[in-house]
Amino acid sequence: MVDELVLLLHALLMRHRALSIENSQLMEQLRLLVCERATLLRQVRPPSCPVPFPETFNGESSRLPEFIVQTASYMLVNENRFCNDAMKVAFLISLLTGEAEEWVVPYIEMDSPILSDYRAFLDEMKQCFGWDDDEDDGDDEEEADC
């Protein structure tokens, strides 16, 4: 009985040694693959965006058209990131500062439906910050209400 246990223990030790050697070889292969991957990743550069990241908008009416063109262009070339209206509106909101940021807070607080409607959000911005196709001097009163 003791001899059988000794033989079994010897077999287990031999199997353990073989598995340890195999494990060491696999770990070395894994290390080499990780190094190769790192080398390849350094060689591959993501394509640069042809449209620069948009500037922030602080509510200055004269900058609104430029802001809308910049953001629309950026979202167009990065359409995979802006797959729905809520993402587009969130992107615009992230670029608002000063008066424009203060303007949007109530919409966020009341979870307004325009936060999920890009066109409606743009229309609200245009109305509030004075971008109207038929601008005249009477629009100043409307801007003060925003």
Side-chain angles (χ1 to χ4, degrees):
M1 178 79 162
V2 173
D3 290 337
E4 291 173 5
L5 289 175
V6 169
L7 287 173
L8 183 60
L9 183 59
H10 185 281
L12 287 173
L13 286 172
M14 295 300 287
R15 181 72 179 139
H16 178 267
R17 177 184 233 170
L19 289 173
S20 292
I21 292 170
E22 184 180 2
N23 187 42
S24 294
Q25 291 170 340
L26 289 172
M27 290 301 290
E28 178 62 18
Q29 288 177 350
L30 179 61
R31 186 188 70 75
L32 291 172
L33 286 172
V34 168
C35 290
E36 185 177 343
R37 180 181 180 268
T39 301
L40 290 172
L41 285 175
R42 281 193 297 271
Q43 294 172 5
V44 176
R45 292 189 180 132
S48 62
C49 181
V51 176
F53 194 81
E55 296 178 25
T56 59
F57 177 69
N58 65 3
E60 184 182 331
S61 295
S62 64
R63 283 218 48 253
L64 183 59
E66 176 187 4
F67 175 73
I68 291 175
V69 168
Q70 284 180 355
T71 53
S73 299
Y74 187 82
M75 288 186 291
L76 182 64
V77 298
N78 292 287
E79 63 186 342
N80 58 327
R81 295 181 187 171
F82 304 101
C83 54
N84 60 47
D85 280 9
M87 293 294 290
K88 292 174 183 178
V89 171
F91 179 62
L92 292 180
I93 290 173
S94 73
L95 295 169
L96 300 181
T97 62
E99 182 185 338
E101 185 178 26
E102 292 172 19
W103 164 80
V104 80
V105 169
Y107 291 101
I108 295 170
E109 290 175 342
M110 65 182 189
D111 196 22
S112 172
I114 72 163
L115 298 176
S116 298
D117 186 338
Y118 177 68
R119 284 271 146 231
F121 189 82
L122 283 182
D123 290 344
E124 283 291 308
M125 283 189 77
K126 289 175 181 180
Q127 182 180 358
C128 183
F129 297 106
W131 184 15
D132 187 12
D133 293 335
D134 300 315
E135 280 188 4
D136 62 338
D137 293 337
D139 285 343
D140 292 339
E141 289 179 28
E142 283 184 32
E143 289 178 36
D145 292 340
C146 292

